Each structure stands twice: as structure tokens, then as C-alpha cells.
Amino acid sequence: MAKIFCVANQKGGVGKTTTTINLAAGMAAVGQRVLLIDLDPQGNATMGSGVDKRQLDLGIYDVLLGEASVRQAAVPSQWSDAGKKDHPIYHVLGANRELAGAEVELVNLPQREKRLKQALSLVLDSYDFVLIDCPPSLSMLTLNGLCAANGVIVPMQCEYFALEGLTDLVNTIKQVHAKLNPDLRIIGLLRVMFDPRITLQQQVSEQLKAHFGDKVFNAVIPRNVRLAESPSFGMPGVVFDPSARGSLAYLDFARELVSRAQTL
Ligand code: ATP
Ligand code: MG
């Protein structure tokens, strides 16, 4: 049965999408069957998986509104044309700007925050992991992700305001846990874009460990330009340049999460 994880942080630009696509590719590389869901109208995870958001036939929008099933709308990640056909694929439920409209359209539908959960219940046997890339907000879309998930992965930069932003997210997760999804928990905090030469980053990293203990993942993702370049080639870094430092770190993280998931 698939484990469902949201990659969430309401702060923008903290590495949610980079984490989701590289984790999906990393898990696929270690033999897992993965479905990536792009819950962000920006469609970055879609593009970063080699799927053109402007030419989406069906996507997460259609699934949320009940107009398509997950099976009908999911497409394989696409990088075979780029000479990377040996890298295992994952499946993608894509998004584009149309998804912004779902926010409004969902309001009048029954069980509006549980639409994704219901849709996913039909495919749980087809995947080992479902990874959901959330938008930088605590919106109805994010709420659908949190209601469907077993847990949340929180990517964060080790900066001064990072801990402050975490409080809002933790409170939201507590509320969803109490009212809508008793399954939900924080799986862990992932330190991303890490630069060990910066003293402040080391200090915040130590604070995180002191405060959250083993909820902080062992894997640390360094700042690495290859991770930032690869989406423009329609690929996660793990596929584009598997030997780059950032890609190796995401592979470590994929292995760590696969083994941690067995204890959930
Ligand atoms: P949004 O909130 O807009 O959805 P996000 O949280 O999904 O943003 P990303 O899009 O993953 O964040 O990353 C923000 C920017 O930082 C991107 O340009 C990305 O390429 C870059 N980036 C992410 N992780 C790294 C890294 N480890 N090293 C270098 N650049 C990175
Ligand atoms: Mg994003």
C-alpha cells in the first residue's frame, strides 16, 4: 500500500519542488513505484519532470473536480528523448494555471478537502509512494494534500526566520490532525540549500536538532548549481547529473526515507 507524503512549507522558494522531483527520481532509482502529484498551479514539478504543462491533456485539476481518475490522468515522467532513457521513470499528475481555478470551484463541492484522498484510494496498490508538491500557501489545495497524506516532509533553509515560519506549519498540521486526518504527522525536516561554511546555517541546524531531535533527517542537501540547472532541461538533478553532490544527497535522502517509511 502506498505511503503518501506531502512536501510542504508555506514559505516560498525553500526547495519544495526541487525536493519533490529529486525524491521521486531517487526513489524510482532504488526500485520504488512513485506517483508525483503537482498541487501547485505554477506547474514547476510538472515541467521539472519533463511533462509540458501547456500541453496537459488531463491533470490534477480534472482529478480534484471528479472529471478524471488518477489512472486516466497520470503520465510517465519524460526524459527518454534526452538520452536518459535508462533512468527509471515515475508517474506524474500534472498541474498548470488552470489549477488556480480549482480553489474556487472546490468550495461548492461536497467533502471539498477530501477530494484528493478519495481519488487516491483507488490507486494505493499501484504505487509504493505518492509524493505531493504543495504550493507556498496553506490553501484549499494544500489542505487536500494534507488530508490525503500519511505525513509531511518539510524542506527548510537554515536561516534565521525559518523556525518562525515552522510554527504556523506545525499548528496547521496539528489542526488537520485533530479535525480531518488523524493519520497525519510530521515525518521530518529536511535541511536544504545547506552551506556549511556559513556559521549561521550551522547554528540554526544545531537548533533544529536540539528542538526536533530525530525528526530532522540525517541527509542534508547542499547548495548545488546542478540542482538548479536541471529543471530547464526538464529533468530532476538526480537524472540530469546523478554524480553531482546535490543529486547524491537526494539519493541518500531517498534511501533514508524508504527505510524510515517501513517503521511508520
Ligand atoms: P515555491 O514556493 O515557489 O513553490 P519551492 O519551495 O518549490 O518554491 P524550488 O522551486 O524547489 O522551491 O527552489 C527555489 C529555487 O532554488 C529554484 O530556483 C531552485 O532551482 C533553487 N534550488 C532549490 N534547491 C537548491 C539547491 N539545493 N541548490 C541550489 N539551488 C537550489
Ligand atoms: Mg514549488
Side-chain angles (χ1 to χ4, degrees):
M1 227 182 41
K3 293 269 191 307
I4 306 174
F5 296 144
C6 276
V7 179
N9 190 331
Q10 78 281 9
K11 208 162 172 318
V14 293
K16 294 179 287 295
T17 301
T18 305
T19 296
T20 314
I21 61 178
N22 282 287
L23 183 58
M27 283 179 156
V30 296
Q32 305 297 307
R33 299 169 301 163
V34 180
L35 171 67
L36 180 155
I37 300 179
D38 190 351
L39 258 193
D40 187 343
Q42 294 182 98
N44 294 343
T46 305
M47 297 295 279
S49 302
V51 176
D52 191 341
K53 66 178 178 184
R54 292 154 302 200
Q55 294 181 10
L56 268 190
D57 202 12
L58 293 169
I60 185 63
Y61 173 85
D62 308 277
V63 170
L64 286 175
L65 294 186
E67 284 156 15
S69 67
V70 174
R71 228 178 278 284
Q72 286 169 325
V75 296
S77 56
Q78 283 161 29
W79 40 68
S80 53
D81 292 348
K84 302 280 181 185
K85 65 177 185 304
D86 291 340
H87 197 286
I89 55 125
Y90 52 85
H91 286 174
V92 181
L93 261 183
N96 53 29
R97 281 173 59 197
E98 193 182 33
L99 182 59
E103 194 83 41
V104 181
E105 289 162 63
L106 280 172
V107 170
N108 297 316
L109 296 180
Q111 298 258 301
R112 57 189 177 178
E113 65 282 322
K114 300 220 169 134
R115 314 277 305 176
L116 183 59
K117 182 184 174 73
Q118 285 160 357
L120 283 175
S121 66
L122 302 174
V123 297
L124 293 181
D125 289 334
S126 305
Y127 299 103
D128 301 307
F129 290 95
V130 177
L131 303 175
I132 304 173
D133 184 25
C134 290
S137 62
L138 299 171
S139 60
M140 182 56 68
L141 290 168
T142 302
L143 195 56
N144 260 272
L146 294 176
C147 282
N150 305 114
V152 186
I153 296 163
V154 185
M156 53 189 303
Q157 286 172 259
C158 290
E159 287 173 347
Y160 181 65
F161 289 117
L163 289 167
E164 216 165 289
L166 213 51
T167 315
D168 289 340
L169 183 62
V170 169
N171 285 336
T172 303
I173 292 170
K174 276 190 187 150
Q175 280 180 23
V176 174
H177 173 88
K179 297 192 183 129
L180 293 165
N181 178 6
D183 244 13
L184 191 69
R185 60 173 102 180
I186 294 189
I187 305 296
L189 308 178
L190 177 67
R191 291 161 287 172
V192 299
M193 297 188 229
F194 193 73
D195 185 344
R197 291 166 304 182
I198 300 176
T199 312
L200 176 65
Q201 293 210 2
Q202 279 178 1
Q203 287 169 349
V204 174
S205 174
E206 289 309 315
Q207 277 175 6
L208 276 181
K209 281 198 277 191
H211 207 85
F212 292 95
D214 60 8
K215 286 275 178 207
V216 181
F217 290 110
N218 295 326
V220 180
I221 313 299
R223 188 171 278 287
N224 178 211
V225 69
R226 298 300 265 170
L227 292 172
E229 286 169 352
S230 51
S232 66
F233 297 92
M235 280 178 265
V238 164
V239 178
F240 179 59
D241 185 354
S243 62
R245 276 190 322 124
S247 307
L248 293 171
Y250 271 117
L251 271 167
D252 277 348
F253 177 48
R255 286 191 206 97
E256 181 180 354
L257 194 55
V258 170
S259 80
R260 213 181 258 218
Q262 280 161 2
T263 66
L264 291 177

